[in-house]
Amino acid sequence: MLTVQKLRVEYKENPVGLDVRFPRISWQLQSEKRDVLQQSYEIEVSAEADFRRRLWSSGRVYSEQSSHVELAELMVRSRQRYYYRVRVWDMEDRSTEWSETAFWEMGLLAQEEWQAEWISAPLSLLDVEAEQCPLLRGSFHTAAKPLKARMYATALGLYELELNGSRVGDGYLTPGWTSYGQRLQVQAYDITAQIAAGENAVGAWLGNGWYKGNLGWDNRRHIFGSRTALLMQIHLTYEDGSEQIFATGENWTAAAGPILMSELYHGESYDARLELSGFSRAGYDDSRWSRVELITHSKEMLVAQANVPVRKIEQIKPLKLLKTPAGETVLDMGQNMVGWMQFSLDAPRGRQVELVHFEVLDRDGNVYTDNLRGARQKITYIAKGGGPESYEPRFTFQGFRYVQLTGFGEEPSLQDFTGIVLHSDMERTGFFACSNPLINQLQHNILWGQKGNFVDVPTDCPQRDERLGWTGDAQMFIRTSAYLMNVAPFFTKWLKDLSADQLDNGGVPFVIPNVLGENEHSSSAWGDAAVICPWTIYQCYGDKRILEEQYPSMQGWVEYIRQQGQDEYLWDTGFHFGDWLGLDAKPDSYKGATDTALIATAFYAYSVQLLQKTAGVLGRTEDARQYSELHSRIKEAFKHEFITPSGRLSVPTQTACVLALMFGLVEGTAKERTTDKLLKLLEESGHHLTTGFVGTPYLNLVLSEAGHTDAAYKLLLQTDYPSWLYQVTQGATTIWEHWDGIKEDGSFWSKDMNSFNHYAYGAIGDFLYRHVAGIELDEAYPGYKAFVIKPQPGGGLTWTAAALETMYGRICSEWNITADQLEMSVSVPPNTSATLYLPKADLPRVLEGDVPLEHAAGVHSTEQLEHEVKVILGSGDYKFSYKLGAQ
Ligand code: BGC
């Protein structure tokens, strides 16, 4: 039976509050059968769940498209809910039933619809220097219980709303971090169930967050503004069709709340004795509260939330309680995590407790906080007394594995503490395991690097006084991240901020949102995020719109580079981070030895090539032609500048070889010589890498693409410094910033820059999925409409099992070697096809299930190649087995 499943709009399940004018619908097919393709589809949209009146129907459309079908003819209206359903026909012309009904709902689409005013607490109420946080309150009366109630809210700073005593929504750190001057997100909530007939009350907590709090390592604050404020509007719809609006305005009241200090880096100080309990309930007496002040702030930059919300994703119980040699009381969470601690205590009124969060113990087993630099990561709580009480912060997050406790007494009970893991609630899509437990731990660490650093913005690290949207780091890790989780909405949002913050001349700030200032921009391999990220999202999710929307930004970046040097085709000017943290750096430098002009020109070529492909996809033929020509010229210039006439790469570093190979800048003899050189350099360093941020992500890929998978495995499997598994053997639970963050003698890399949760080197995840398990895109069929499975067993691994949830469904690739027999299970989702390469296979000896490969259902074609058998597969689940050939 063929069915239509997993209906999504803009990647989301039944979203409320969209502002996308032409929403795109995606669905998946499910079938027990093999070789299933969609021949045609039909979509119906209605304003009612029972489809009594249709607003729009696509009619029967003959197309295989099942993701991102744009509803271009539907004129969407503000706040309207749209129900939709889909049915499809297969190639035998059999139709499915209508899918289950799904919906989406638009948010406030026009600025004029905002009746709400920006309200702020009078500054005289607060200890402004200490960054105390206010509470705001408003109430309203409803004649009857409304049929439908929605709340739209945003803030300057962070907000948390309560309605009639209970929290609104399950998002945290709202409204999220954007380029606040130009884009501020609005969240929409269905509050129908929370509204009462009669008196209702809304209470708001405001925090400083990214808008007003400390950001960056030089202790700056008030970067976007100096005053927190709330903008909120409730729309009520009654049975008779009448509407009522209740919004923030001058009749709201404000009070200083129990949050004495709240900072993303520093934590929170909370005096529970100052709680104003029940303030968000009807009937609460706020006569001693002050009137709010109206402030002027534009509403022009309001946009709907594009990203998935930050939520509480999981809970971790502490592993153990430690007493350090220095006498400190410390909780070990067993995992370097990002979020906060929830705790309960039974203490007398006025008792102060403290929690300091940190990543590692020092060599002697004592608390180590030096690598947090200026970030205090400290929670201070003053008890109200009178029985058990519990607490968790609101407007901060910490990166930590350990928590030092003060004031909890000699033997705090582990039961009283829970770690709350927070991050953007992205769907987990990638799963990878193999026969080597160290690699499995590495995989775990990569995943946790992503969890900890995808808190609304892709950050370099989540713990020290940085946590910024470094473009380079994002670019290096994006492909791996797209294996592990669905990162499309996450990057859709961030790239809009990148466009917003891009300079007029096309330069790209080092961090997005830009908090470093106008002068800190445009290093190669960092700014290239403007091109690499949209292209990667397009490739992984088939999302053409992101290319359309980002095209001016992508082009802006390339044109910026073009203006930089004397020579239009080389980039040999300006500041670059270079092969950041490369091990071939001079002492006292973070910049690896690879010539930055080589790096810059190589990335220039790569960005131009991707821009050319993008122009092609978007049908901009003239641009495609021009950029193709530009690309050839850059390649020529690269050759002229960096390759000797006899084909030797003149910059003899691992990273130089990697980039030249990865970006196709060496051909023929030069390619051979560069590959040989890379192998030689690796041999000279005892099969260890010297690469930094720029070279590392591609190192294993180029080796295996050049047919040297064994060399790639050698690197992967090293357990001594420098290697991925060195940190694993040192007990790491996330990816480190430095290969020797902790040295073999237990001492640390210098405290000025030593994060233990930095995802950049986690980019090796790409190699695990792409080459070890072999799940690879087919560039011509983005979003895995067609894809390749080309596993490369090696490194002594006896099995690997990987899966990837795509827009079409789940791809699986599992291989298992016993003696000289290889078994392989493969899943190809309906409406897709795969090109499978069976390693070391001899065609006549391959079985699928118990039939010879060539006779198996779903197999379209087979071909014996030199070292492998190539099979074209339709959808379905397959099991192959064969005796390994001698090749
Ligand atoms: C960050 C990096 C970033 C770099 C720029 C560091 O402080 O942590 O990950 O890319 O600066 O070189």
Side-chain angles (χ1 to χ4, degrees), residues 98-300:
W98 281 111
S99 66
E100 279 182 22
T101 299
F103 68 83
W104 81 90
E105 188 177 301
M106 303 307 295
L108 287 180
L109 293 184
Q111 202 194 312
E112 304 76 63
E113 290 175 273
W114 281 98
Q115 297 182 8
E117 296 186 89
W118 284 107
I119 58 169
S120 184
L123 293 178
S124 55
L125 277 185
L126 306 168
D127 181 344
V128 181
E129 215 20 61
E131 300 288 7
Q132 190 175 10
C133 301
L135 300 176
L136 305 177
R137 176 173 202 281
S139 58
F140 59 100
H141 191 85
T142 62
K145 176 134 175 87
L147 214 53
K148 169 179 152 185
R150 298 289 181 269
M151 178 189 274
Y152 305 95
T154 189
L156 305 178
L158 300 174
Y159 76 85
E160 193 175 301
L161 280 154
E162 295 176 13
L163 174 60
N164 296 330
S166 57
R167 194 179 198 279
V168 175
D170 57 1
Y172 285 83
L173 304 175
T174 46
W177 190 12
T178 47
S179 304
Y180 289 132
Q182 302 174 71
R183 294 173 12 88
L184 178 61
Q185 296 193 127
V186 172
Q187 281 76 34
Y189 305 97
D190 182 347
I191 51 165
T192 313
Q194 274 170 282
I195 290 274
E199 192 68 8
N200 288 272
V202 181
W205 300 75
L206 291 185
N208 301 311
W210 297 285
Y211 182 80
K212 172 175 185 287
N214 267 129
L215 272 188
W217 50 86
D218 47 4
N219 215 12
R220 279 191 304 145
R221 54 183 194 163
H222 301 187
I223 291 181
F224 295 97
S226 58
R227 202 160 174 185
T228 57
L230 177 71
L231 186 76
M232 194 258 3
Q233 185 158 315
I234 290 176
H235 286 247
L236 305 172
T237 312
Y238 295 96
E239 209 154 352
D240 62 2
S242 64
E243 295 208 350
Q244 191 187 355
I245 291 178
F246 166 71
T248 47
E250 59 187 3
N251 52 354
W252 279 58
T253 52
I259 303 182
L260 303 179
M261 183 282 292
S262 175
E263 284 285 338
L264 292 169
Y265 295 164
H266 303 317
E268 244 165 61
S269 300
Y270 188 92
D271 188 342
R273 294 171 304 182
L274 304 179
E275 278 175 356
L276 296 163
S277 77
F279 83 101
S280 66
R281 285 184 194 282
Y284 175 87
D285 177 11
D286 65 356
S287 55
R288 305 218 337 245
W289 287 40
S290 307
R291 286 261 152 187
V292 293
E293 289 175 8
L294 300 187
I295 65 161
T296 320
H297 193 91
S298 161
K299 292 170 202 163
E300 261 167 45

Side-chain angles (χ1 to χ4, degrees), residues 460 464 466 470 473 526 577 580 693 737 753 758:
D460 55 334
R464 67 179 177 223
E466 196 151 352
W470 283 97
D473 306 44
W526 270 248
F577 291 111
W580 189 247
F693 273 33
E737 181 174 24
M753 216 179 71
H758 230 75

Side-chain angles (χ1 to χ4, degrees), residues 45 56 159 254 308 478 518 536 563 617 644 687 692 780 821 829 839 841 868:
V45 178
W56 183 78
Y159 76 85
V308 289
I478 185 170
E518 284 269 298
T536 306
Q563 302 303 319
V617 170
T644 67
H687 302 284
Q821 184 79 11
E868 59 213 342

Side-chain angles (χ1 to χ4, degrees), residues 523-561:
S523 161
S524 64
W526 270 248
D528 294 284
V531 177
I532 296 172
C533 294
W535 178 256
T536 306
I537 297 299
Y538 164 68
Q539 280 289 302
C540 296
Y541 304 96
D543 189 332
K544 208 165 135 180
R545 184 177 287 169
I546 203 164
L547 295 183
E548 279 157 12
E549 292 185 345
Q550 295 302 127
Y551 192 76
S553 157
M554 299 166 86
Q555 194 175 25
W557 170 245
V558 160
E559 294 300 333
Y560 169 85
I561 303 175

Side-chain angles (χ1 to χ4, degrees), residues 371-651:
N371 70 322
L372 306 175
R373 303 194 309 217
R376 292 202 289 278
Q377 297 219 109
K378 178 164 147 184
I379 299 296
T380 305
Y381 179 83
I382 302 173
K384 54 181 177 251
E389 53 198 287
S390 58
Y391 178 69
E392 63 186 302
R394 285 189 167 75
F395 301 127
T396 183
F397 64 87
Q398 282 86 44
F400 63 103
R401 169 170 172 171
Y402 300 96
V403 189
Q404 180 184 2
L405 304 177
T406 316
F408 285 93
E410 272 310 291
E411 269 305 313
S413 157
L414 292 186
Q415 276 317 311
D416 293 340
F417 299 88
T418 307
I420 307 291
V421 178
L422 289 161
H423 57 82
S424 291
D425 194 2
M426 302 160 290
E427 181 191 350
R428 173 89 187 268
T429 51
F431 305 87
F432 178 95
C434 68
S435 56
N436 183 329
L438 294 178
I439 294 180
N440 293 341
Q441 181 66 38
L442 173 64
Q443 164 65 26
H444 168 101
N445 297 0
I446 298 169
L447 179 66
W448 278 84
Q450 179 159 350
K451 291 181 185 185
N453 286 296
F454 278 54
V455 181
D456 210 48
V457 161
T459 53
D460 55 334
C461 60
Q463 74 297 82
R464 67 179 177 223
D465 52 358
E466 196 151 352
R467 314 183 189 185
L468 302 177
W470 283 97
T471 48
D473 306 44
Q475 170 274 108
M476 289 153 207
F477 188 66
I478 185 170
R479 183 66 196 276
T480 298
S481 77
Y483 276 115
L484 298 173
M485 297 183 193
N486 183 338
V487 295
F490 184 84
F491 277 102
T492 301
K493 165 193 170 257
W494 185 71
L495 284 167
K496 287 188 174 159
D497 292 306
L498 188 147
S499 297
D501 279 348
Q502 201 165 358
L503 281 72
D504 290 343
N505 65 5
V508 175
F510 295 153
V511 300
I512 301 292
N514 184 11
V515 293
L516 299 181
E518 284 269 298
N519 297 328
E520 309 293 307
H521 68 94
S522 304
S523 161
S524 64
W526 270 248
D528 294 284
V531 177
I532 296 172
C533 294
W535 178 256
T536 306
I537 297 299
Y538 164 68
Q539 280 289 302
C540 296
Y541 304 96
D543 189 332
K544 208 165 135 180
R545 184 177 287 169
I546 203 164
L547 295 183
E548 279 157 12
E549 292 185 345
Q550 295 302 127
Y551 192 76
S553 157
M554 299 166 86
Q555 194 175 25
W557 170 245
V558 160
E559 294 300 333
Y560 169 85
I561 303 175
R562 217 167 167 173
Q563 302 303 319
Q564 293 315 299
Q566 294 286 333
D567 185 328
E568 191 182 335
Y569 309 118
L570 273 183
W571 192 7
D572 53 1
T573 54
F575 167 81
H576 301 280
F577 291 111
D579 191 21
W580 189 247
L581 308 189
L583 295 174
D584 46 12
K586 290 205 188 85
D588 299 327
S589 169
Y590 288 142
K591 213 178 266 191
T594 307
D595 183 353
T596 55
L598 181 140
I599 296 174
T601 306
F603 271 90
Y604 179 21
Y606 185 47
S607 278
V608 170
Q609 190 180 39
L610 297 186
L611 182 61
Q612 173 215 321
K613 290 182 185 175
T614 302
V617 170
L618 299 180
R620 296 170 178 263
T621 349
E622 178 50 25
D623 282 8
R625 194 196 57 72
Q626 276 192 32
Y627 288 120
S628 153
E629 193 182 316
L630 178 60
H631 182 246
S632 321
R633 288 184 191 265
I634 299 168
K635 246 176 103 168
E636 263 313 300
F638 183 92
K639 190 169 157 193
H640 188 250
E641 185 79 5
F642 301 111
I643 304 170
T644 67
S646 57
R648 180 172 55 83
L649 193 64
S650 65
V651 179

Side-chain angles (χ1 to χ4, degrees), residues 803-818:
L804 178 66
E805 292 292 343
T806 68
M807 295 300 288
Y808 298 89
R810 177 177 275 232
I811 296 174
C812 294
S813 165
E814 300 185 14
W815 54 262
N816 192 351
I817 300 173
T818 32

